[in-house]
Amino acid sequence: MAWLSNLLGRGERFVASVGAQVVKQSAGPDTPSADTTCMVDQWRLISDVMEGNDAIKAGAERYLPRFARESEQKYRRRLADAPWRPIFPSAVESLTSRPFAKPVTVEGKVSTEMKAFATDVDMLGNNINVFSRGIFNDGVTFGVVGIFVDFNRVIPGPDTEPLSLAEEKELGVRPFWVKIRPQDFLDVRTDARNGKQVITHARWRECAAVHDGFAEAFVERVRHFELDDAGKPHWKLWEKPAKGADYVVIAEGDLTIAEIPLVLFFTGRRKGTFAVKPPLYDLAIMSLEHYRAMARSTEIENFSGWPTLVGVGMAAPDPKTTTDASTGERETASQIEIGPGITLFAPPSGADGKTDWKIIGPDAALVAEVAKSPERVMDEFRRLAMEPMVQKSGNVTATASAIDNSRAHSAIEAWSCALKDSLDQALMFTSMWLAQSDQVTANVSTDFVAMVGSTEEAKVIADAQKRSVLSAKTERAELKRRSILAPDWDEDQEELQIALEREGLEPEEPFNPVNGDLIPFERVAS
């Protein structure tokens, strides 16, 4: 294999090339690419951690290892008793909510059609802000997500004239956005065309529900797009009619725009065309470490809370074979066991052969030390999450808080800029579908400030205002920017209230601060 290594080079590219050799010979539309294959395990782990308790418990030994010689019955009991805490989804939600403190909007020369489109971008009633938040959440969680800009065009029959624009508008024909989950991608290929990289091949899985009266069935489908050498995109919809059967084409056609309107939003470090290192993958791994630490702590609590009874000077009863009703596993109690509800028997230890009963349990210092393990993991989780999930006890220096938050903000700012770029591309494809010039861009908030350091910063700003370095107006603007003031805080109303207080008037006695005349309160409110 030395010649192949020299040809392709070492590292990630070589690994991806070797992975491509395992593709089955009879490749079909559902055949995954090397990028997809190398991401399956990571995306599955992240999906299970995001899903929570049920998915983690269903994963069983994948996430909670089984001890050597541990019976199925005992393992199932330990698995059911292991606590799960949704710390990872909470961290993701805390991080991904920041760019949406201000809603995503469209700006530029926005046409009437584009304004209407922005209020419902996916034909499901979600505006561009709601849709963008779902894209950002999946992009940060999995490292990549897709936006496909589709168009529900009515395909005329062979003897039917194409619809006019007025007829299409009357039928509600319009572009719409579709979120493509990274787990659904089968392949994405790119190539340099006209001086830029464009997508030349894309496939992803779909699952369609088919109803027959009250019955419901699900059909596996693959949506396939191909850009030919002339730069014209074609599409096919493949369907698997039955289990074990080959995929068949149930629909196909050409796109009327010159590109495959698929946008990939990346937050992870790219390893291929769309294979990535998810930025929060290590955080998901640490949430599993916390899960196992909690399982150990709970098991120690069980043993310490229900000590083992020891009978010295008496013989143990004959071994008995029991059968687990749920698993059918047979177990013979012939070896020494410890734990709640277990009695140990021992021969006489003295010359008098006296019998004795006593209780034994784990060492108290050991129990206390094991109980600290989940908190130690949680402390490291907080650091990796770039933001404390809960307020720690003790003093945390302002410098340390500022460093942690600056890291978080630098990452989120980069992701937010990437989101804006992806939305701009999606809006460009939307303009192409609408046959309009591309004069619309997305407005995504990228102005982040440290949340933990806000109190200290507010003191610095207040001191600067007292020393006439800043004006009162600038001070209030900076306090609002740092979310110290409420989002609905209104500066004009605040200045009026300050003027009222200085004159000793009640809010029911409003006046014009310019000339001092009393004015009706309803005019103030308006």
Side-chain angles (χ1 to χ4, degrees):
M1 298 292 290
W3 66 271
L4 185 60
S5 174
N6 294 331
L7 176 64
L8 298 175
R10 299 184 181 274
E12 295 164 350
R13 184 164 57 117
F14 175 66
V15 172
S17 299
V18 172
Q21 297 178 5
V22 301
V23 175
K24 60 185 180 180
Q25 296 296 324
S26 57
D30 62 334
T31 301
S33 66
D35 277 9
T36 300
T37 303
C38 74
M39 294 303 302
V40 167
D41 291 339
Q42 292 189 26
W43 283 338
R44 179 180 183 181
L45 184 148
I46 294 174
S47 295
D48 288 347
V49 171
M50 287 294 293
E51 184 68 22
N53 181 79
D54 293 345
I56 294 298
K57 296 300 178 66
E61 296 182 48
R62 187 186 305 116
Y63 304 125
L64 185 65
R66 183 172 172 175
F67 299 138
R69 302 182 65 181
E70 185 178 21
S71 67
E72 179 71 16
Q73 181 180 6
K74 289 183 178 179
Y75 175 75
R76 289 296 169 185
R77 194 246 348 131
R78 185 165 65 91
L79 177 66
D81 207 26
W84 170 261
R85 301 289 183 266
I87 56 177
F88 182 74
S90 177
V92 172
E93 182 66 24
S94 178
L95 289 172
T96 58
S97 64
R98 297 189 181 193
F100 300 94
K102 297 179 181 178
V104 176
T105 58
V106 293
E107 56 186 15
K109 294 184 179 179
V110 186
S111 65
T112 304
E113 294 85 353
M114 192 62 77
K115 285 182 181 179
F117 172 81
T119 62
D120 182 7
V121 299
D122 56 0
M123 296 185 67
L124 297 174
N126 296 316
N127 60 32
I128 191 172
N129 181 67
V130 175
F131 184 89
S132 300
R133 180 155 188 172
I135 291 293
F136 192 73
N137 191 289
D138 278 14
V140 172
T141 304
F142 297 100
V144 63
V145 68
I147 305 174
F148 183 71
V149 184
D150 207 345
F151 194 87
N152 63 341
R153 185 177 300 277
V154 178
I155 302 176
D159 300 326
T160 306
E161 291 292 330
L163 298 178
S164 64
L165 291 177
E167 291 172 331
E168 287 186 347
K169 289 182 179 181
E170 186 178 351
L171 293 173
V173 176
R174 47 156 288 187
F176 62 96
W177 293 359
V178 181
K179 181 176 74 173
I180 311 298
R181 304 186 313 159
Q183 306 95 309
D184 294 331
F185 275 115
L186 290 166
D187 195 6
V188 176
R189 305 171 195 169
T190 61
D191 192 15
R193 300 282 181 90
N194 299 322
K196 69 174 183 177
Q197 286 287 328
V198 297
I199 294 175
T200 58
H201 175 98
R203 284 179 291 121
W204 58 83
R205 300 183 188 89
E206 293 182 356
C207 186
V210 179
H211 298 89
D212 183 10
F214 295 107
E216 182 181 47
F218 294 92
V219 180
E220 298 177 26
R221 290 178 179 172
V222 172
R223 197 167 291 272
H224 173 203
F225 293 87
E226 197 79 33
L227 189 69
D228 62 21
D229 294 336
K232 189 172 183 178
H234 312 275
W235 63 271
K236 291 182 180 180
L237 184 60
W238 299 79
E239 183 176 285
K240 195 171 187 178
K243 187 175 182 180
D246 293 332
Y247 278 85
V248 296
V249 177
I250 61 172
E252 61 182 324
D254 300 328
L255 298 182
T256 57
I257 60 176
E259 293 185 42
I260 298 175
L262 175 64
V263 180
L264 296 179
F265 167 53
F266 290 95
T267 60
R269 180 171 58 87
R270 296 177 64 171
K271 301 188 294 183
T273 303
F274 67 94
V276 296
K277 169 66 184 297
L280 302 184
Y281 179 71
D282 292 333
L283 200 64
I285 294 292
M286 184 149 287
S287 69
L288 294 175
E289 292 181 20
H290 184 264
Y291 166 58
R292 289 189 282 267
M294 291 287 291
R296 288 193 299 271
S297 178
T298 301
E299 196 72 354
I300 289 294
E301 291 176 1
N302 288 337
F303 277 87
S304 60
W306 298 90
T308 299
L309 178 65
V310 178
V312 179
M314 56 193 69
D318 295 334
K320 294 183 179 180
T321 300
T322 59
T323 302
D324 189 287
S326 59
T327 64
E329 180 180 354
R330 295 174 62 83
E331 180 178 2
T332 301
S334 58
Q335 59 183 17
I336 296 178
E337 299 182 17
I338 60 175
I342 301 296
T343 303
L344 298 182
F345 296 90
S349 58
D352 54 1
K354 184 174 62 175
T355 60
D356 184 26
W357 291 97
K358 60 182 178 179
I359 299 292
I360 62 172
D363 181 68
L366 174 63
V367 174
E369 190 63 26
V370 173
K372 297 177 183 178
S373 178
E375 184 59 31
R376 285 196 293 266
V377 176
M378 191 63 187
D379 287 342
E380 187 66 14
F381 181 91
R382 292 189 187 104
R383 187 187 69 81
L384 286 180
M386 299 176 289
E387 178 188 17
M389 295 298 101
V390 295
Q391 198 69 25
K392 290 184 182 180
S393 59
N395 295 324
V396 180
T397 65
T399 302
S401 299
I403 291 174
D404 285 344
N405 279 269
S406 64
R407 289 173 181 166
H409 293 143
S410 62
I412 299 174
E413 284 178 16
W415 299 339
S416 299
C417 291
L419 174 65
K420 172 179 168 50
D421 183 63
S422 298
L423 293 177
D424 286 346
Q425 292 183 57
L427 288 169
M428 177 194 70
F429 286 130
T430 304
S431 298
M432 292 172 66
W433 279 123
L434 294 173
Q436 298 179 355
S437 58
D438 180 25
Q439 297 179 323
V440 181
T441 61
N443 181 18
V444 180
S445 174
T446 57
D447 184 17
F448 304 108
V449 293
M451 300 299 292
V452 176
S454 296
T455 303
E456 295 298 324
E457 291 178 1
K459 294 179 180 179
V460 173
I461 293 172
D463 180 67
Q465 196 277 327
K466 289 179 181 179
R467 293 185 291 111
S468 299
V469 176
L470 298 176
S471 65
K473 183 180 182 69
T474 301
E475 179 189 16
R476 291 194 291 267
E478 288 298 318
L479 292 178
K480 186 175 182 180
R481 176 170 171 258
R482 285 160 173 76
S483 299
I484 295 177
L485 297 175
D488 58 350
W489 178 83
D490 184 86
E491 184 174 5
D492 294 335
Q493 291 291 333
E494 193 68 22
E495 289 182 348
L496 177 60
Q497 183 64 31
I498 292 173
L500 291 173
E501 292 175 356
R502 286 175 179 173
E503 295 295 327
L505 299 176
E506 296 296 328
E508 290 78 12
E509 303 176 283
F511 79 112
N512 189 328
V514 177
N515 54 28
D517 295 338
L518 292 176
I519 56 177
F521 185 73
E522 56 269 16
R523 286 178 56 190
V524 177
S526 61

